[in-house]
Amino acid sequence: MILPQDARLDRAIRDENGDKLGRGPFVESLVRALVRDEVGTDGKLTARRSTGYVVGLTGRWGLGKSSVVSLLSNRLGSMDKTLVANFNPWLLKGGDDLLTGFFNSVRTAVGKNAREELEALRADIDSYWGALNIAGTAIATAADPSGLLAKVFRWRPGKPSVTPETERKRLEDKIEKLGCAVVVLIDELDRVEDDDVRAVARLIKAVGEIKGVSYLVAYDPERVAEALGRGVAGAGERYLEKIIQHPIPLRPLFEEDSRALIVAAFEQHGTAVPEANADFEREIFKYIVESVQTPREIKRLVGAFTVLEEAVRGEINPYDVLGYCWLQTKSPRVRDVIAANPDTVVDDPGEVEIANRVALHFDQGRAPEVGSILGDMATPHAELIQMLFPRFSDRRSAGEGDRLSRRRNLVRMLYLGNPPGMIRRADVEAVWKMASPSLENELRRMEVDDTLRPFIDRLDDLIPSLNESGDSSFWPALSKTLVRTEDWLREPNTALSIANDAATVFTRQAMRDVRLTSRIRHAIGSLQMAGDLVLVPWILRKAMRAHGLSVHSRGDSDKFFMDKLQTQTMMEDEFPKYRSAVQSGHMLRRLPSLEPLFALLNASRWNDELRTSMTQQLEGEEAIGTFAGLLVPPGYASELSTINQICDADRLKQNLGSLLENADAFPDPWIRDCAVRLHRTLDGKDPLFDDD
């Protein structure tokens, strides 16, 4: 069985209980390649003989050769009339240790049996071992061209001079007479240094001619051939052919193997594979299953996942964490590139990166290649990177707050909540204690300096420890800060992502710790009293979906911190304000999002009067450009049917088409890009594809 500590270490399985790949039949085949049974006329076993072959168990590093050797050793050790010696050159260093270790492993195998005749066999092994000391013999020269044997095996004074051939013949006769098979298992030859690979190869060549002894050598053929060849093309392979008589490859992992090993690895860590409900979750898991090549990769993947997922549990989708761990396992350098500038991969980057993307989009007209942003080393992992970060694909971003493609989540994943340059706790506490108008001035300064988002990130960590009295002043001040001071959207709308992050804080805090539920409700009440139209509509829409009060209901009311009655009460209190904001034009002119509109739309409270009002407002470059920036900013899309519910889509399409014919319309590239994608949507096309 595999013990819990083995799950965290790179250890081979110890017995058949840990064999999740059903390698028992393969092990039995190896037994038959190494040992032959002799049966009497009565059908009973009379003797076992080694085949005398040097069998190679080949496979890439980490494929599970050591596990097969372990299973084989157990099987041979359970057989009568069989002696099995385990020799691991990786535990030794240099010619002296390797030669001594080899013979000691054989002596130890014999010494485990108390039979008198086997004790005599060990004496014959010692004699042959000592005889290899004689200078000038062919075996000594082959095994030890540097003269190390003469130094290691000093002949005892008074010992009659004998030849290695004489001692070897005596040893072979003794093995024959005993009717025992002797098998030497040599593991991890591919893990030692080049000189030691060559030393072990010479040793096998020298002593491998002993009749009555079989050998199995486990190694990565490419690695060993490289060490033996000393850089000469084909030389290593030719040398291996002289040593290994029967190379037997360990089969690669099939998809069923990978699935079984992943499930087993999770179980060994005391957990289970996360339930996959969404398409992207199933896609990530399928990608990993198809990409895995060795059991060692699975151990590293699941080991990393169990550590990191626990650190970000409840914050980041577990399948995004699993994909991130696979990427980090296969290419740590790609992770370092992402860490150096996370804005290049997320769906909601800062203002500078948004401007860069707009320029890139106009230049290329499509999603960027992974390699063009993250370098050539990322190209082999492009498919997974596209799943984790939709900006590299033409698919719509999932948009959920727990995806790794959200900047705050990526930063948390990269640094487990502690990135360099994080807003200091003391700075958060100082702002939290401020009162208006100083508080609003400070928040606007942070918005200009592009530090408001990291401030919200840090705030999410610290809210439980901050004084509850600050809720009634901070949140209304933040809402007011995110409302534009001038009409119309004239540049990238960074306030949208900040608003979404801030609203997410409420739901996450309440669901993370039920003790905070009452506090969060009071904070929302403060926002309502202040007339907030930025954060509360976002929260209300989530509550509506949870309780089946939205056309996009999820039915997970047990996971939300507001019950159905509270949600219905909030709807009746809030909807009149939302209708007023829409009809007065305040929403379109000043707010960072269309959340009030969507709240009404999702609750089926949008009517002809509101549709007519929006249609009339969407006249002119400024109004239409603002609508495009709020409805379809980078990473977002909308349905034509939805737009036609909001306003007269045909009329909007005609007005927008006329504006786009003028090259001077929408001078800001970001606004123009949004306008172009809005026009594509109105034309019945997917705005994320440029197919014309």
Side-chain angles (χ1 to χ4, degrees), residues 311-472:
V312 298
R313 186 170 299 158
E315 305 282 353
I316 304 175
N317 183 282
Y319 275 93
D320 275 358
V321 179
L322 190 65
Y324 171 86
C325 290
W326 179 250
L327 183 62
Q328 181 173 262
T329 297
K330 299 299 294 181
S331 184
R333 291 176 59 199
V334 174
R335 180 266 178 205
D336 293 341
V337 172
I338 292 174
N341 193 355
D343 269 10
T344 60
V345 299
V346 296
D347 290 338
D348 52 345
E351 184 175 347
V352 174
E353 174 61 20
I354 288 176
N356 291 338
R357 292 189 189 185
V358 170
L360 182 66
H361 178 77
F362 274 109
D363 181 46
Q364 297 183 344
R366 55 182 171 78
E369 298 289 339
V370 168
S372 68
I373 303 298
L374 300 179
D376 293 341
M377 66 186 132
T379 301
H381 314 288
E383 185 177 352
L384 176 61
I385 292 173
Q386 289 171 345
M387 295 177 192
L388 296 175
F389 305 108
R391 78 147 299 195
F392 292 108
S393 70
D394 292 319
R395 68 175 68 192
R396 179 179 178 179
S397 172
E400 293 296 330
D402 65 348
R403 293 303 308 275
L404 192 65
S405 56
R406 292 292 297 274
R407 187 182 187 279
R408 62 177 301 125
N409 290 337
L410 177 59
V411 171
R412 188 181 300 278
M413 185 77 262
L414 290 168
Y415 302 103
L416 300 184
N418 297 293
M422 174 182 280
I423 303 295
R424 296 188 310 158
R425 180 189 185 102
D427 293 336
V428 174
E429 292 175 341
V431 173
W432 191 258
K433 295 175 182 177
M434 288 183 179
S436 296
S438 299
L439 176 57
E440 294 170 15
N441 292 336
E442 178 62 18
L443 292 176
R444 291 196 183 280
R445 181 196 66 77
M446 286 193 286
E447 184 181 27
V448 172
D449 294 345
D450 203 23
T451 58
L452 189 52
R453 290 191 69 193
F455 181 90
I456 298 297
D457 284 341
R458 186 63 171 139
L459 181 65
D460 191 23
D461 297 325
L462 300 177
I463 278 183
S465 63
L466 296 175
N467 195 305
E468 188 173 347
S469 62
D471 291 331
S472 59

Side-chain angles (χ1 to χ4, degrees), residues 62-73:
L63 188 56
K65 299 184 297 295
S66 293
S67 292
V68 171
V69 171
S70 178
L71 294 172
L72 179 60
S73 178

Side-chain angles (χ1 to χ4, degrees), residues 459-525:
L459 181 65
D460 191 23
D461 297 325
L462 300 177
I463 278 183
S465 63
L466 296 175
N467 195 305
E468 188 173 347
S469 62
D471 291 331
S472 59
S473 55
F474 176 82
W475 295 112
L478 176 63
S479 172
K480 187 175 180 180
T481 300
L482 296 176
V483 175
R484 290 188 296 276
T485 57
E486 297 180 354
D487 286 347
W488 311 123
L489 192 60
R490 304 180 187 277
E491 59 186 4
N493 186 22
T494 57
L496 172 61
S497 56
I498 297 174
N500 289 343
D501 283 351
T504 302
V505 169
F506 282 94
T507 57
R508 184 153 42 220
Q509 288 289 333
M511 297 170 70
R512 184 188 298 161
D513 187 346
V514 295
R515 293 172 297 181
L516 294 175
T517 300
S518 177
R519 175 177 178 178
I520 296 303
R521 288 174 180 163
H522 284 130
I524 294 173

Side-chain angles (χ1 to χ4, degrees), residues 6 15 45 112 180 197 209 265 496 508 519 637 683:
D6 294 337
D15 54 43
L45 179 70
K112 290 180 179 179
C180 283
V197 171
E209 298 177 358
L496 172 61
R508 184 153 42 220
R519 175 177 178 178
D683 207 25

